[in-house]
Amino acid sequence: MSLPISSKTFSGGLIALLIFNALSAFVGGVMAIFFDGAGVPREHLEGTWFPSFIGPGLILGIVVGGTQAAAAFALLTRRRWALLAAAVAGFAMLIWIFAEVAIIGYFWLQSVYFGLGTLELILVLASLGIAPAITSPEGKGAGNGLPAETAA
């Protein structure tokens, strides 16, 4: 049994997710820079390349937030490279979370953002037709040569 969902639904959900993640990363970057890590003890930076939270804040705000915003813009303006940008944004989010856990240790909110980054990648794959039974409005192979599912 398939759950047909239109590609427009996936696209709208992906845009909303990208905008939310961009705003979250920008706010997180500002908090890291201007509020000295926003409650993260400075000791967590010992043994890293970062003497303060300015570097991580810039990476979070510009790199993570910037890729999220660029991908949202690309999808909204229907650029040919939009799904590639969304995939890069999703991977940037996952890499950020892996690095953050390695540097400062685990906090439950990291699981939430890891899940959001993973969801971005799932929506990109679905939008590319990787799961045609899900993305096709008819629940069929979406014209890609795959057989239509039969009703049980």
Side-chain angles (χ1 to χ4, degrees):
M1 179 176 182
S2 67
L3 177 63
I5 302 172
S6 73
S7 61
K8 188 174 183 177
T9 301
F10 279 105
S11 180
L14 183 55
I15 291 167
L17 185 58
L18 288 163
I19 291 170
F20 173 80
N21 287 339
L23 292 173
S24 292
F26 292 143
V27 169
V30 166
M31 289 179 67
I33 294 168
F34 296 106
F35 297 97
D36 197 33
V40 176
R42 191 176 283 265
E43 297 85 50
H44 287 301
L45 295 178
E46 291 176 6
T48 71
W49 300 335
F50 305 109
S52 72
F53 286 101
I54 292 173
L58 289 172
I59 293 169
L60 178 59
I62 294 171
V63 177
V64 178
T67 57
Q68 300 286 326
F73 171 79
L75 279 166
L76 286 168
T77 58
R78 301 180 189 271
R79 306 290 181 182
R80 291 180 62 209
W81 46 271
L83 289 177
L84 174 61
V88 168
F91 279 116
M93 177 80 80
L94 297 182
I95 291 167
W96 171 261
I97 295 299
F98 279 128
E100 188 178 49
V101 169
I103 291 171
I104 67 170
Y106 176 76
F107 183 68
W108 68 269
L109 196 54
Q110 293 158 329
S111 294
V112 172
Y113 282 100
F114 186 86
L116 294 175
T118 302
L119 181 58
E120 280 181 11
L121 294 173
I122 290 168
L123 291 174
V124 167
L125 292 173
S127 296
L128 288 170
I130 301 300
I134 295 173
T135 59
S136 170
E138 297 85 28
K140 298 181 181 171
N144 61 5
L146 296 175
E149 291 187 12
T150 57

